[in-house]
Amino acid sequence: MSAPATSRLVVLAGPTAVGKGTVAAAVRADHPEVWLSVSATTRPPRPGEVDGVHYRFVSAAEFDAMVAAGDLLEWAVVHGTHRYGTPRAPVEAALAEGRPALLEIDLQGARQVRETMPEALFVFLSPPSWDELVRRLVGRGTESEAERERRLLTARTELAAETEFDVTIVNHEVRAAAAELVTLLTSVSGRQR
Ligand code: 5GP
């Protein structure tokens, strides 16, 4: 009998509004065997977001306590405003169960995971073009003008980081991008560079 394959951890990053959340949700909808990390955040919920499903919405004090206790695998201030972090224990539990695990986080977080879990596969989701990225951010309509400007500024830096990643998926269309991601999550463990 062959040894059980070590389960794979995939870190998905990419610029704001490229569709990371939508692609991750599509993966989860079609492949319930893929475990998707639920981040903690100090950002208030948007309409329709459910605590414990989309995020764990926590106070600044609660977030401080998680950091102090070492409960977060990584964390970062994103877009210069709120803090976001990946609770460590659920990731370890999912991998121990042998489930392919997906983290959808920002670039700063991906760099931290690269330090602590270099065996993970780092996937960059890129937009078909800069104009398309701006169109998606404006079309989403969830941010104020000032917040949009801030996020586009971050996006410029984030796009330049593509070369740090193992694989790029261009998000032309959500289902196709999700299918590419599932292939990476479920292919033989170990990084294939
Ligand atoms: P949003 O506020 O639109 O839900 O997310 C803003 C950004 O935070 C996205 O780029 C998303 O990838 C990032 N993000 C979400 N969860 C985490 C996390 O746990 N850690 C880090 N570093 N970034 C995260």
Side-chain angles (χ1 to χ4, degrees):
M1 223 170 68
S2 62
T6 312
S7 163
R8 168 166 275 188
L9 177 65
V10 171
V11 176
L12 180 69
T16 184
V18 70
K20 298 189 294 284
T22 314
V23 169
V27 168
R28 188 168 54 174
D30 290 350
H31 293 270
E33 75 277 15
V34 173
W35 179 83
L36 180 61
S37 170
V38 178
S39 299
T41 183
T42 58
R43 164 168 85 57
R46 295 186 186 126
E49 284 183 334
V50 178
D51 185 42
V53 176
H54 299 94
Y55 283 103
R56 270 180 66 191
F57 296 100
V58 299
S59 67
E62 286 170 312
F63 201 97
D64 287 341
M66 294 172 97
V67 173
D71 288 346
L72 299 179
L73 184 61
E74 59 73 35
W75 69 272
V77 176
V78 181
H79 305 304
T81 42
H82 299 293
R83 286 181 288 170
Y84 297 79
T86 305
R88 181 193 307 274
V91 177
E92 290 174 349
L95 292 174
E97 277 176 27
R99 294 181 69 181
L102 180 61
L103 309 187
E104 183 255 289
I105 59 179
D106 90 318
L107 177 63
Q108 309 167 77
R111 286 178 175 147
Q112 291 172 46
V113 179
R114 168 81 86 191
E115 293 299 311
T116 52
M117 301 178 100
E119 69 283 6
L121 185 80
F122 293 82
V123 178
F124 190 83
L125 191 65
S126 87
S129 68
W130 173 258
D131 286 351
E132 177 60 20
L133 188 69
V134 174
R135 205 186 61 75
R136 286 180 191 178
L137 186 62
V138 172
R140 187 159 81 174
T142 45
E143 289 83 22
S144 66
E145 177 69 35
E147 179 65 18
R148 271 208 304 270
E149 289 300 318
R150 199 162 38 236
R151 285 178 180 230
L152 282 175
L153 209 64
T154 313
R156 286 227 177 259
T157 329
E158 287 176 333
L159 275 177
E162 181 183 345
T163 53
E164 296 172 31
F165 286 75
D166 300 312
V167 184
T168 293
I169 295 176
V170 181
N171 189 15
H172 291 289
E173 197 271 316
V174 172
R175 300 215 79 80
E180 279 188 60
L181 194 54
V182 166
T183 303
L184 293 170
L185 276 155
T186 54
S187 57
V188 191
S189 82
R191 241 187 307 160
Q192 293 141 17
R193 286 187 186 256

